[in-house]
Amino acid sequence: MFRPLTRAPDHPALELEILEWWEERGIFAKLREQNADGPIFSFVDGPVTANRMVLGVHTAWGRTLKDVFQRYKALRGYHQRYQNGFDCQGLWIEVGVERELGLNSKREIEEYGLAEFARRCRDVVVRSSRALTEGSIRLGQWMDWGNDYFTFSDTNIEYIWRFLGLVHERGWLYLGHRSTEWCPRCGTSLSQHELTQAGVYQERSDPSLYVRFPLLDRTEESLVVWTTTPWTLPANVAAAVKPDAEYGRRESGEWVATARYPDERFDRRALGEELVGLRYRGPFDDLGPGSEVDHRVIPWEDVSLEEGTGIVHIAPGAGQEDFELGRLHDLPVLSPVDEAGRFYDSYGWLHGLSTSEAADQIVGRLAEQGYLLEAGAYLHRYPHCWRCDTPLIWRVTDDWLISVEEVRQSLLDANATVEWIPAYMGKRMDDWLRNMGDWNISRRRYYGLPLPFYPCACGQLNVVRSKAELLERASGPVDDLPELRRPWIDAIRIRCEACERDVERIPEVGDVWLDAGIVPFSTLGWKNPEYEPEGYATGAAKGLTAADLPDHAYWERWFPADWVSEMREQIRLWFYSQLFMSVALTGRAPFRKVLGYEKMLDEKGREMHSSWGNTIDAPDAFARMGADVMRWQFCAQPPDRNLLFGFGPAIEIKRKLLTLWNSVRFLVDYGNIAGFVPDYADLEAAPLGEDARPLDRWLVARTRAYLADATQALEDQLTHRLIEAFDEFVDDVSNWYIRRSRRRFWDEDEAAHQVLWHALVQGIRTIAPVLPFLAEHLWQIVVAEPCEDAPESVFLAGWPEAGEPDRALLAEIQEVRAIVALGHRARDGAGHKLRQPLRALVVEGAELALDHAGEIAEELRVKSVAFEPLAGTSVRAKPNLKLLGPRLGAKLPRLRDALAEGRFERLPDGRVRAEGHELQPEEVFVERAAPDGWALAEEGSLSVALDVRLDPELELEGRVYDLVHAVNTMRKEQGLAITDRIVLTLPDGGDLDRFLEWVKSETLAVEIEHGSELAVRKA
Ligand SMILES: [Zn+2]
Ligand SMILES: [Zn+2]
């Protein structure tokens, strides 16, 4: 006996039960044990930032894909690593703690104390990693929880030090003096790749100012510049013109590019090169720094004539291009603001103001002095800090950089060995590799990888490569170094290797992408001489994980990863930093295959923002739709398009899953009546006897074809193709096989039960990676419990082998189903419901379905089916008014009449000639029409005509079908079991007498009584 199924699955409840069952039975451990000697499939997890206290649905998407492919590979017998990773350092963590503590600047952090601040940061990681683990387990992700890697472990840090040592050895490391994007709130520069993250460029309104710079040697004349960053004006040192562009002088003496003002009159015109060298008074020469500058006009080819005035204000201390141009012309650099983006004291009345606070004052002062020509607002896309949303500024600073020039080609070569899915993401990586600048690795922050750089006055840059080396070279005793971290490490001074002087570490910490990029080395034991149990649990990671530090032989086995997967954004982030570090260390790519995917939006296609109230936390989704439904939603998504996630689509998915559920329930209910006991061996060899019926042979063929498609979809790493194939398969099982075979189940036909069981179980096995809970639940009911020798879990049963399907038979039934679908369409058009029998169907163009007239007749409830050319049809044409209206105008009505009256000629190329016009195929709708009393439907070369005329006999039969339907509905409403016999009460009158026996057999009535209204009661 099968355990009965409820009417519909309660996904959340069922999932919690299965989670507990897996845990009790140790199913995941058994699976790993079972595969321990299998071939290796190496997966490396990209770390999730441990700063949120709840799993987000974005994260759940990626985790689902990882889990689906790990489960699939496990079903195929692969030995795998299941190490989950947490990203634990950097601004994400720091900014969260600052908010919790109400700290608002770096000064406040330092006053708070770095040791305590570090403790709070670690505490965030501890709490977040617990919450994320809990959410991931609930999602159904099978990982080696408890052996996770944490990027703040000393081991991870030491591996990065080693990498930096090598980079230094090769001469790629340098201290750069340059202009860089800077977050004034976080007080640090950001790197190019950080600016590529989603949400960095936001629409923003800034002042739009037209400002006059008076020329020194030509009184009454001035240059007009345009700027949207008023705070940069006090740093102005030059004005740039395009040498070969024409400039004009207005009557007022103002110079602008003539191309920008084509309608204006100019009393003098000159080329830009004639203006070069002119000297002008700077707008803020009354403030200290500006007064010493000799402001002059310089040439610049790149001056834009698309916006502004064609004269560009240049402030090398406050703009990237300006800085480069300044180098070229040897211009002075005025740096007006400090790390916090506030004006230095030397800027007089501006001192202490932030760049935005200063804007108003600057505009006011310009107006007062008559320098301001026009002020407005300018809407543009402007970069913001990816972490704290503060608008960025440009500052000239000293940053540590890794030069990429020497390694660029090797990176491109390594990327060429990687298979990217979708392929365009690999091209994006190439573009990035070709165009990226040097890697800015230093951040002026606290909770991060301490850069092991100890510059010495003698010119030597000491780079420490390990904790042991640090302790050995320390110039004094080290008694307090719980972690390789600020503030403890800052107290350690070492001896310069060149001159023996004491030197100290630079205060900067490293870019977080170093932390994540080193993972394929630090977690796999690269160059580690001996396997160390729990050897990765060092520094801040101590007590949080029991992860081992394997030895180099282990690394050789597991590197490179066969597969990694993250969202597209990671091309320039994790995929890049991993690739860079791996190519530097080994010359090879760290992964063979990458599955990327696009962004998640809400179900209406909007970005998800907590301020808009449209974000969804995973626990909410677990409770309201269930993990399986979420996973289906993630997997149904082609990776090259944005996922529109929400509760709306979940309703549709539940409806689809109900079709599967109902099919299994049908098997369970009828199987129990028939006493059907499945045989596990039937899964291997399809359960077909010598004399198997065509429909059974078809279902076995259909199952095999589906298995082949499902396997291919997963091999191609395209889950949406698996979902589509599964959907169609379930529809075929439910809406073809079961519908066509009801009578046989009723008759307790063993073969029907066998092939249906076989099809459903194979379907369940293939969808198990996507729907682990539902699949496990159904496996228990239809396999593990009734079959003695079956594996206890669907995940211990391996992947089903697909035999070769009978393709000819499949094509045959496919055509039958196409004819039936057309028949339904024709019937719908005529307005007859399916219960109404009709006389005849004629099929034209069928080639394979000729032996299936009986099935087609039954499906469409027609009395005869003929395969022959349709007779008496005519061809009708109608104008496409949208196209022909504008083209023909007043001539249209005559053309329309001609088409309606059949006065047209069809040309061989699809065009139509009528009323002297030659019409393109898209300008006219040509369709065949059936003779009166017939309905016609066509698709491709297949056409059907359905006789839709009724006669009294047909109408009577229709009423009998209606009656049977009404009675069976009443049976269901009264909750009668499928096998319950009834007494049926029929209203008096009617002419149904000769159908009564048939009605009885269709409704399980043992007796018919006559009464005032239709009634059903249990006999
Ligand atoms: Zn910031
Ligand atoms: Zn030295």
Side-chain angles (χ1 to χ4, degrees), residues 45 86 130 393 538 587 809 926:
D45 184 38
F86 292 110
R130 278 190 199 133
I393 59 173
T538 51
L809 178 59
V926 181

Side-chain angles (χ1 to χ4, degrees), residues 366-664:
L366 289 171
E368 238 168 61
Q369 294 179 330
Y371 289 166
L372 187 64
L373 285 180
E374 196 186 323
Y378 182 65
L379 198 64
H380 59 160
R381 289 177 67 73
Y382 191 86
H384 289 63
C385 174
W386 58 275
R387 184 58 198 105
C388 73
D389 245 11
T390 305
L392 300 181
I393 59 173
W394 278 261
R395 284 191 79 228
V396 174
T397 59
D398 291 334
D399 282 313
W400 290 90
L401 295 116
I402 299 177
S403 162
V404 302
E405 250 2 280
E406 246 178 69
V407 78
R408 195 187 297 278
Q409 189 55 46
S410 311
L411 290 170
L412 284 160
D413 294 345
N415 191 43
T417 67
V418 177
E419 182 189 343
W420 286 81
I421 303 160
Y424 68 84
M425 292 193 187
K427 302 269 177 298
R428 297 246 175 126
M429 176 61 101
D430 277 344
D431 289 347
W432 167 248
L433 294 176
R434 275 192 208 101
N435 297 310
M436 69 189 176
D438 291 348
W439 184 357
N440 176 353
I441 56 164
S442 59
R443 301 288 180 276
R444 289 155 200 260
R445 296 295 305 185
Y446 308 101
Y447 200 71
L449 150 84
L451 290 175
F453 304 156
Y454 296 76
C456 177
C458 76
Q460 179 74 15
L461 174 62
N462 297 275
V463 176
V464 172
R465 293 159 187 247
S466 69
K467 187 174 173 180
E469 184 190 332
L470 176 70
L471 297 178
E472 195 204 295
R473 291 175 63 181
S475 51
V478 178
D479 39 36
D480 189 24
L481 186 60
E483 301 169 16
L484 291 178
R485 183 171 311 287
R486 304 187 67 184
W488 304 286
I489 195 169
D490 294 346
I492 302 175
R493 297 164 71 88
I494 65 167
R495 278 180 306 275
C496 171
E497 57 203 342
C499 73
E500 295 281 311
R501 236 183 301 213
D502 266 15
V503 282
E504 54 181 28
R505 199 185 73 82
I506 59 161
E508 281 90 339
V509 298
D511 178 9
V512 287
W513 297 104
L514 290 165
D515 298 0
I518 200 69
V519 159
F521 298 89
S522 61
T523 63
L524 299 179
W526 181 68
K527 297 250 168 126
N528 188 40
E530 252 168 79
Y531 197 104
E532 298 165 50
E534 301 197 19
Y536 184 87
T538 51
K542 227 180 262 172
L544 294 180
T545 174
D548 300 337
L549 179 62
D551 56 14
H552 189 76
Y554 184 93
W555 180 85
E556 292 278 1
R557 283 179 76 199
W558 292 94
F559 181 92
D562 290 302
W563 185 66
V564 292
S565 174
E566 301 291 336
M567 66 192 303
R568 190 196 64 199
E569 191 181 69
Q570 297 294 339
I571 290 173
R572 297 172 175 197
L573 302 171
W574 187 56
F575 294 141
Y576 165 66
S577 67
Q578 252 195 108
L579 183 71
F580 191 104
M581 295 172 97
S582 180
V583 167
L585 293 175
T586 70
R588 282 198 282 165
F591 34 70
R592 295 195 169 101
K593 207 182 242 196
V594 182
L595 173 65
Y597 47 93
E598 290 289 340
K599 276 202 299 193
M600 181 185 286
L601 305 172
D602 76 4
E603 60 188 78
K604 297 193 183 95
R606 296 178 310 164
E607 299 267 352
M608 288 189 179
H609 282 299
S610 43
S611 56
W612 297 352
N614 63 346
T615 53
I616 302 175
D617 284 334
D620 195 24
F622 294 143
R624 285 175 61 191
M625 65 174 94
D628 276 338
V629 174
M630 291 166 70
R631 293 171 66 113
W632 177 287
Q633 203 169 152
F634 298 143
C635 290
Q637 181 62 29
D640 57 353
R641 266 165 276 164
N642 291 336
L643 165 60
L644 310 188
F645 183 86
F647 291 102
I651 295 170
E652 173 67 6
I653 293 167
K654 281 189 184 173
R655 195 188 56 71
K656 286 181 173 179
L657 295 184
L658 199 57
T659 308
L660 168 68
W661 182 268
N662 284 336
S663 302
V664 178

